[in-house]
Amino acid sequence: MPTPLLPLRGIHCERCGHVATPVQHFGCESCGAHGADVADRPLTGEGTVLGAVTVHRPGGETVRIGSVHLQEGPMVRALLAADVVAEDRVRATETDAGLLFVRGDH
Amino acid sequence: MAVLLSDLRPVYVVGIGLHRFQRATDTSFVDLGLTAVRAALDDAGVPWPEVETAYTGSTRLGMAVSRPLLRHLGVTGIAMTQVENASASGSSAFRLAVRDVAAGFADVAMAIGVDKAAPGLRAETLTGISPLDEGLTTPPVHFALLAEEYLRSRGAGAEDMARVALKNHNNAADNPFAHRQQRRTLEEILADRPIAGALTRLECCPVGEGAAAVVVVSEEGMRRLGIDPARAVRVLSSAQQSEQLYGTRSYDAELTGATTQQALTEAGVSVTDVDIVELHDAFAIEELQYLETMGICAEGAAPSCLRDGEFAIGGRVAVSPSGGLLAMGHPIGPTGVGQIAEITRQLRGEAGVRQQPDARLGLAHLVGLGAVCVVHVLAAPA
Ligand SMILES: [Zn+2]
């Protein structure tokens, strides 16, 4: 069974408050805390687009990819719906192609 | 308190050699490397047996690259070390050779870079962490996103970024060691095959094969070998840092700013004194961003300075007179050593039609995946 994409998950550091995604158990990049100090938490999947580009793949297919600044702090790169532009408010959805950010809040 | 390079023995670059950076061929890496090493030894007038230690930057040739290459110069039993630091491999190899000479571990050292085009294995893919953007954010996509943000926030256009490629392609057209030696027009660059966002193929560096080598010596080595100090380029500083957490700011640019500041401070020079910059322009947007974070020009001013010719050969500061990664090429292992070769050529006043007039101070910068950043400051012979 593949892990469901939603809700997006991140780690929250109990020692320094740093929030990061994806989830990993190695340790906090900000302060080095590890083990029980670093908790796996769901994220809202909502954020703001910092930048968005159309990418030309070999074979002529194009996809829209963007930098999304999530509400909780981390910045992620992800597929965007075709009409999404920079500064849009977006939310994460799950599609056959994987994670896709679309316009609008929940 | 830790010592700085300037507290130690002076170190000089006295020999440079290159094998042309080019698209993949059947040429053995041994031929590529020996061409560069023999050229550097000839340029320095140093016989191979005088070299006391060698560092070889390489990323896609597997383990233990030095001896299969260097044994053909006649074995001498010296220390040989392979250096891998992604795009900055050659820069780090140079840094280690410089530090050996500065500290007095050697009077004559070589830094070499050699690579062939091949898939590289990245440790990041072996961590067991599954990134959300698995396979999505290739280097062109990463830099296209930075470009979109940069150009939009500064009210600049695609042609402002294309002017970086225009300058660097046309510089490389006069460089016999460059991968891309074709003169280009702004229209050609803008109309070239789109890759991601505003980036076209001609605004992305070619990754091929090649080699570069430099000989570095102490003053004692220079005297012993009868080397002419009038062609010796002094290494004033060597700085290397790795990425920190910068929130939503571009880590490549932030890391570049901090490492460059350290290199300039340790060299005891001002950024306004720099005449030559060779930087990591793997993608055209990088030059605009880095010139600003380096302090070469004011925040947001790079597009207008570039348009006014300030970064051209003959301008206020020549940026990538070699053609940079965009056009001289980016074979990875050799790239950083190639920058030192270009700056040495310029500071000796031997760069021919590419010569920046009265060049006294040069700065070499590379960012490597990870990310790491390496900056060196070099000065012309007194
Ligand atoms: Zn922490």
Side-chain angles (χ1 to χ4, degrees):
Chain A
M1 266 281 282
T3 324
L5 292 170
L6 296 181
L8 290 183
R9 303 197 72 83
I11 52 169
H12 183 273
C13 178
E14 308 290 352
R15 199 201 283 176
C16 76
H18 185 62
V19 180
T21 188
V23 172
Q24 46 84 11
H25 64 274
F26 300 126
C28 171
E29 272 195 80
S30 179
C31 75
H34 63 282
D37 281 342
V38 181
D40 177 345
R41 296 263 183 83
L43 302 171
T44 59
E46 293 175 17
T48 307
V49 176
L50 298 175
V53 293
T54 299
V55 177
H56 303 261
R57 292 197 164 150
E61 185 206 1
T62 63
V63 292
R64 193 95 176 131
I65 298 178
S67 307
V68 179
H69 185 203
L70 297 174
Q71 199 170 287
E72 293 85 355
M75 197 267 282
V76 298
R77 260 69 183 272
L79 284 175
L80 305 177
D83 63 340
V84 173
V85 295
E87 297 173 14
D88 277 354
R89 295 274 306 156
V90 289
R91 61 184 169 86
T93 63
E94 191 165 352
T95 71
D96 291 344
L99 189 66
L100 180 80
F101 280 83
V102 301
R103 285 170 109 155
D105 301 323
H106 282 289
Chain B
M1 173 118 164
V3 295
L4 304 178
L5 196 67
S6 54
D7 298 328
L8 301 171
R9 307 194 305 168
V11 182
Y12 300 87
V13 181
V14 296
I16 59 173
L18 290 153
H19 184 290
R20 185 185 171 179
F21 296 178
Q22 60 193 18
R23 62 173 62 197
T25 68
D26 293 334
T27 312
S28 165
F29 80 86
V30 180
D31 277 321
L32 299 176
L34 287 174
T35 300
V37 171
R38 288 183 174 131
L41 291 168
D42 284 352
D43 179 45
V46 170
W48 169 249
E50 296 291 341
V51 177
E52 295 158 83
T53 189
Y55 291 94
T56 311
S58 183
T59 62
R60 287 155 302 151
L61 295 170
M63 288 195 286
V65 74
S66 300
R67 200 169 173 282
L69 162 64
L70 298 173
R71 68 186 181 196
H72 300 291
L73 295 155
V75 298
T76 57
I78 62 165
M80 295 176 178
T81 307
Q82 179 166 350
V83 181
E84 189 279 303
N85 221 355
S87 289
S89 297
S91 313
S92 290
F94 177 69
R95 172 176 161 87
L96 292 170
V98 165
R99 285 157 72 106
D100 268 12
V101 171
F105 294 117
D107 286 310
V108 184
M110 280 197 91
I112 301 150
V114 63
D115 243 326
K116 295 281 290 179
L121 177 64
R122 286 180 56 190
E124 180 77 47
T125 64
L126 306 176
T127 56
I129 303 171
S130 304
L132 284 175
D133 62 345
E134 187 106 56
L136 209 60
T137 316
T138 58
V141 172
H142 169 70
F143 286 106
L145 283 167
L146 296 183
E148 196 270 341
E149 244 187 290
Y150 176 96
L151 297 175
R152 180 167 37 83
S153 66
R154 282 157 179 80
E159 68 285 356
D160 289 307
M161 182 166 72
R163 276 192 199 95
V164 171
L166 178 69
K167 167 177 64 67
N168 296 355
H169 279 271
N170 291 341
N171 286 348
D174 292 321
N175 181 353
F177 300 105
H179 185 131
R180 289 166 158 170
Q181 296 183 23
Q182 217 175 318
R183 252 168 237 295
R184 299 288 181 180
T185 64
L186 194 62
E187 294 66 33
E188 258 180 293
I189 291 162
L190 286 165
D192 199 52
R193 182 156 60 83
I195 303 291
L199 284 173
T200 66
R201 187 188 53 105
L202 289 171
E203 291 169 291
C204 304
C205 68
V207 177
E209 63 180 30
V214 299
V215 180
V216 295
V217 301
S218 62
E219 283 177 347
E220 193 180 321
M222 198 146 44
R223 273 194 301 275
R224 189 170 80 217
L225 296 165
I227 293 167
D228 178 7
R231 289 181 73 242
V233 166
R234 177 145 181 212
V235 185
L236 295 183
S237 66
S238 171
Q240 179 166 326
Q241 296 189 17
S242 63
E243 184 182 335
Q244 300 187 47
L245 302 175
Y246 308 106
T248 57
R249 299 195 304 280
S250 159
Y251 64 82
D252 314 89
E254 296 294 322
L255 177 57
T256 289
T259 313
T260 302
Q261 194 50 58
Q262 184 193 344
L264 290 168
T265 303
E266 292 188 7
V269 298
S270 157
V271 69
T272 55
D273 298 330
V274 175
D275 303 300
I276 306 280
V277 176
E278 287 279 331
L279 56 76
H280 185 275
D281 59 336
F283 299 90
I285 190 61
E286 292 182 85
E287 183 170 311
L288 299 175
Q289 282 198 301
Y290 299 158
L291 289 174
E292 293 178 9
T293 56
M294 283 176 170
I296 295 285
C297 67
E299 190 74 26
S304 62
C305 294
L306 177 64
R307 197 165 49 233
D308 295 344
E310 289 188 28
F311 307 139
I313 294 167
R316 177 167 67 84
V317 43
V319 179
S320 295
S322 71
L325 279 60
L326 277 180
M328 176 153 175
H330 188 25
I332 309 191
T335 309
V337 183
Q339 290 184 326
I340 301 298
E342 173 69 14
I343 288 173
T344 300
R345 201 186 297 284
Q346 292 279 348
L347 295 178
R348 284 168 163 179
E350 297 176 357
V353 291
R354 286 183 293 108
Q355 182 64 48
Q356 170 70 356
D358 308 317
R360 304 297 304 161
L361 206 65
L363 185 146
H365 156 274
L366 277 185
V367 179
L369 280 173
V372 296
C373 184
V374 185
V375 177
H376 286 99
V377 176
L378 295 95

